[in-house]
Each structure stands twice: as C-alpha cells, then as structure tokens.
Amino acid sequence: MTYQSWGKLFNYDQEIILPSWQNDCDKIFRSKYRLLPYGLGRSYGDSCLNANEALVITGQLNRLLYFDKENGLIKVEAGISLRELLNVIIPHGWFLAVTPGTKDITVGGAIANDVHGKNHHKSGTFSSCIDEFCLLRSDEDKYICSRKKNQKYFSATIGGLGLTGIILWAQLRLKKIESSLIEQEVIRFETIDEFIHLSEVSDNDFEYSVSWIDCFSRGRGHLIRGNHMRGENGYSIGKEGLFSVPCNMPNFLLNRCTMKMFNFTYYHKQFRKKVTSLVHYDQFFYPLDVISNWNRIYGTRGFFQYQCVISFGDSVRLIQTILENISRSGLGSFLAVLKKFGDVRSDGMLSFPRAGYTLAFDIPNRGESSLRLLNRLDKIVMEAGGAIYPAKDARMNKKMFQCSFSRLEEFYKYKDVKFSSSFWNRVTL
Amino acid sequence: MKKKVLILGATSAIAEATGRIYASRAAKLFLVARDQKKIDLVAQNYSMLGASQVDFLIADFIDYNSHQMIYKRAKEKLKNIDIVIIAYGKLGNQNRGEKIFDEAREVIETNFTSVVSLLTIIANDFQIQQSGIIAVLSSPAGDRGRAQNYIYGATKGGLSVFLSGLRARLYQHNVSVITVKPGFVETPMTRDVGRNCLFSSPQKIAKLLFHKIEKNNCEEIYLPWFWKYILIVIKLIPHRFFKKFKL
C-alpha cells in the first residue's frame, strides 16, 4: 500500500507507522525518522507526505469516545472520518458547524488544515467547531489544548499541517438541524460583477453559498446558495459513493477541448435564471463524493489544485485577470469554485481563509506549462497581498508561503522538531 | 431483526472492525478479550455507533478452565446466540520457535488448542439450538507449510481441517461453520512483515466478512477473493520444487 496525496503527483519512499490504539502512539518517537500524521490523504499536494521520513497513519484511531446527544458535544479519536462522524450524528439531529466539500477527511486533517466550507461568511473555519483536543508531542507529553489551556499549541495546531504533534482526540461542538434537507437556490450569472453583487446579497439571507465558475469564460457561472430546511422532517444519512472511477483514465481524456465543452454544457444545463429546490445534505455539501476516486480522471500524470484568496479591494479586475490567464494557458478546469469569505477570525496561526474572495480550481499536470501558469498566478496573488492554501498546494515557493502567512515566525516556536513534511521542507529550507 | 453476536478476541483489528459494522446495525454484542482498557474503548465505541446492547468480559483464552464460564456469561447476556466470531491469534516468532519449543507451544495453544476447546462448547450448544453461524479466522498460511512461518501455518492448517469436519457434523443441525482466510492485512500482527500491494485494511476485510456472514452461503472464504487463486497456484507446485523456496 503506497501512501499518496489526492493530486497523485508524488510517489515517495516513506516509512509507515500504524498505531491501532492511542497508547501505541507513545512508541512512535522511537523511530529514527521524522514524523508526519497522515489521515485519508485528501490534501492535494505534499502537505500530507514526508519523503524519506515516516508517516504515522491515523486511520485506525477512529473511535467515538463520548457523545452528548442533548447538547451536541462529541469527543472522537482524531482518525475518524467526517463521513463516519456524520453517520452517527445526523440521526440524532446534529450536523457539523463547518464542513468542507468532502466527507472523506479525518477530524485530525480538518483541524490541521483548518478547513472551511460554504458558510465561512457566517461561521468561519473548522476552528469554530473545536472545543479542545489532545496533542501528543515528541517530549512524550500529552497536551490538552483549548482557548483556555495551552493556547499557543491550540493556535499553532489549527492549520498547523500536522507539524506540531499528533492530535489523539478532539472534542467538537455540533450544530442542531431540523432536517437532512437543504432549501437550495441556483442562480446563473454572466459576469464577475454580477457574482459579486449576488454574493453580497446572499450573505444576509443564506447560511451557505458558493459558486461554480466557467474558467474558460469571462466570468459566467452558477451561484448555489442554501439553508437547512426548517420543520421536523426526519433525518436520513447519505448513501455510499454510487460510482467509482475504476482506474487511471487515459491522459488525453481531459484536454482543453473536452473541458471547454464540459463547462459550456454545464453552464447551460440550467435554463432558467433561478431554480429553487429541496436537496439532500449529501448532494448539497458533498457532490463530488458521489464519485469515489474521481482523481483518477486525471490519469497517471495527476493534477494540481490551486486555491488562493484575495482581499476585497480590486477583486473584479483580479479575478478576471486570473481567469484570463487560466483560459489563455489552455489548461483550464471544470471544477473551478469561487466564494466570498467573511471576516470571522480563526484561532489558527496558519489559517488560510480571510476576508476576501477565494478561487479554487484543478489543472492537469502538463509539466512545465502547468507550473508556469501557477507561478504567474502566484505573482498576481502576491501583489494583491493574498495567500495560497497549503492543503491544495504542490509547488508554491518559500517567498509565496511567507507572504501568505503573517504569523509564520510565531508558528516556528511551536512546531515540533521531530515532525516534518515534504511541503514544509520545500517552503522553509 | 437484531443480531446477537459473540466476538472472541474482540480487540484484534479484524474483529474490532467487523464488530463495528454489527454495532452500527443495532446488534447485541458480547465481547471477550484480554485487555481491560482496550475492550472498554471498543465497547463504548460500539454503544455510540448504535449497538442495542454491548457487554464484555476480560479473559485469556489460554486458560482453558475459563471457557465454560465465558460461554455461560455470553449466553446469559445474549440468550440465543446468532453468530460467533473467533478472531484472535498469535503469529509468534518462527526463528525462536524453531529452537525453543515453548515458543512454538504458545502459538499452538493459542491458535489451535484453545480454539478447539471453545468450539467444543459452542458446537454442542449450537447443535441443541439447531441454528447459528460460527465464523473462525484461519489463514492461507495453513494451506501449505512454508519455511518462513510453518509453525503458525501448521496451527492454522490444523484449524482449517478441524473446521472442515465440524462443518460436516453441524450441517446436519442447521449450523454453518465458515473458515475465513484473510490474506495480508495491515494489523499489529503483521507489523514486521514488509508491506506490498497485496495488503488490505482491516476495514476492508471486515466489510467483506460481514457480507459473507449475512449471505451465509459459503464454507471456506479467502479475503479478498484473489488469494484463492494465489493459493491454488502455490498448492500445485510439486514438493521437489517447493522445498527449494525460501518463502
């Protein structure tokens, strides 16, 4: 079993350590290698990889420890996936206060990347779900970290990419829901200006909002917004992934032509300007999870994911410039997402989301041309004082990383020397 | 209908993962294992996952005198047991076992003798009950003795033969006996075995095992399926060649 990341760009030699119980973790520091916790490998680049060192696979540390069904408090071993967690809490009328676009990540991974979702403008990042967690560091001490205890370790670990130690368990605050259904609206927009206007207006009345954007265009797309349905309607959990991409697809499958066609068709699939419907939470929050192993669509060469955030200033022009660059490169993607972040602060030192607009998209790995495009985009983002999301990154340089995170100097003090990652080595050495 | 499941060796990786599936389907579970802390964690987890009843007992299967008591307690809690899963075992150290019989004896007693003792009790009860499924974890290593692990292999081979006979006996009484042969699985038992692409996770094995038990139309199963064909090939190799392999 090789351990890769989602973009399938790297094939590293890594020592594997697989604890089955929390107590097994006491022995991991005997390893001569430096360590990195690994959840479900959904990071796209190398932030979850540790070339020539060791990965501590957390997947078997996935037990429920305590669940207060009345007050929505749950304590879990950090290797549990959001999928397993949701299967337990939904039938009791609870949901995650913040959820990313896939259920197939671990709670540990959600904390380490301080993930965000469609409701960032209202609820901030995963940080706001966290009550406390237990951090095991290489001094073999277990630190209970919260906003009141070991605050620096708390802040450093949220968004800390697994570099401050291993999270053994975490206690989360859940969100009460009345139904498994979401009242959804999908609105077509033609330009970035229209998107920005719609975003502003949606923020007040809608808890969740995100846009899919056609990156081969000047800025047309669909804005998807929604709220949990009110009224007792019973709860149902989602089904297992219906389809699976059985193997790596041929490299020629995704090219400029096919992607342009897909984007065109997808944009026009909705005839009306606005469509309102009731959808299951699984479809609203986790549309991609329906297809297991969707990353195989990109073939053996793999793909890059790029997610940046730029502040509110000159947004329209900047977003348009980025889209133009993508379009001109011929490397566009059909999974481009645009969203407005709010100014809810996270506790994390290396937290990525901040007030502004975030754009995320995949591009196939075509070697030099892909890297050239992303380097050009880095320049644009850097000049605008923005940031790149480490969870998605496979190639940003030291300067870009430093510009992205103003609290990096502070983070250094709390990083554990026994822990390392390929990402960290790339952006700091 | 809520299944009543007895799991012997409940804190072993495959057992825990399988029990989890039953728990999430509101089964009633009785767990037996050696380690108090571990079994506590497992039991709590199962309760939160939705098991309608979870009880457990701390016991060491090497203590044959405890077997009657173990089964009696399980019956008290579960009444008529639907499924028994025997999922504990010891790999042992082959090199050490070759030189010191005590090492080999421990492996034999754990993997074979103690299991026979428990099966004697369970089989007699299920025979009276005229129903039930007994699933026992054996191993492809028992299909043919290899230089590298023939002590472990012998215990599993003996177990597979015992189960084969038991199956025939209990078939007359509407009781199923399933011999489960998982290939390489990523568990603490295989910690020192070099990883390769043939390894499966305990979760995957558990899922396959659960479905096989549900269907209840099999006798001997290799998990995943491809191990059956690997072993067919291995068993066909003539002795005069096989003896030269350092496998």
Side-chain angles (χ1 to χ4, degrees), chain A residues 157-213:
Chain A
T157 305
I158 296 173
L161 304 169
L163 297 165
T164 59
I166 292 214
I167 304 170
L168 294 179
W169 55 257
Q171 182 157 292
L172 308 175
R173 291 205 168 269
L174 304 172
K175 177 203 182 72
K176 192 88 193 100
I177 51 170
E178 290 172 27
S179 162
S180 334
L181 301 177
I182 304 286
E183 289 164 346
Q184 171 184 276
E185 282 184 12
V186 181
I187 306 171
R188 270 171 41 170
F189 57 84
E190 308 284 327
T191 63
I192 300 293
D193 283 289
E194 204 186 334
F195 156 76
I196 289 187
H197 168 73
L198 277 171
S199 261
E200 297 277 326
V201 158
S202 300
D203 272 7
N204 296 326
D205 300 326
F206 291 88
E207 180 157 9
Y208 301 100
S209 95
V210 76
S211 294
W212 167 82
I213 190 157

Side-chain angles (χ1 to χ4, degrees), chain A residues 178-283:
Chain A
E178 290 172 27
S179 162
S180 334
L181 301 177
I182 304 286
E183 289 164 346
Q184 171 184 276
E185 282 184 12
V186 181
I187 306 171
R188 270 171 41 170
F189 57 84
E190 308 284 327
T191 63
I192 300 293
D193 283 289
E194 204 186 334
F195 156 76
I196 289 187
H197 168 73
L198 277 171
S199 261
E200 297 277 326
V201 158
S202 300
D203 272 7
N204 296 326
D205 300 326
F206 291 88
E207 180 157 9
Y208 301 100
S209 95
V210 76
S211 294
W212 167 82
I213 190 157
D214 177 356
C215 53
F216 286 100
S217 71
R218 285 194 52 81
R220 66 180 178 197
H222 297 164
L223 181 113
I224 304 150
R225 57 194 193 186
N227 287 313
H228 290 283
M229 191 168 125
R230 309 297 300 274
E232 304 259 335
N233 285 290
Y235 306 105
S236 64
I237 60 177
K239 294 195 184 40
E240 292 291 312
L242 294 176
F243 313 104
S244 176
V245 181
C247 58
N248 282 321
M249 291 288 109
N251 290 327
F252 62 75
L253 183 69
L254 294 187
N255 55 57
R256 189 196 169 91
C257 177
T258 53
M259 293 215 257
K260 234 178 152 169
M261 267 186 347
F262 174 89
N263 279 356
F264 177 86
T265 314
Y266 192 79
Y267 175 73
H268 287 103
K269 76 176 173 119
Q270 179 167 295
F271 293 126
R272 285 181 280 153
K273 178 83 177 169
K274 175 161 124 172
V275 173
T276 307
S277 56
L278 272 181
V279 298
H280 193 264
Y281 77 80
D282 211 19
Q283 191 188 327

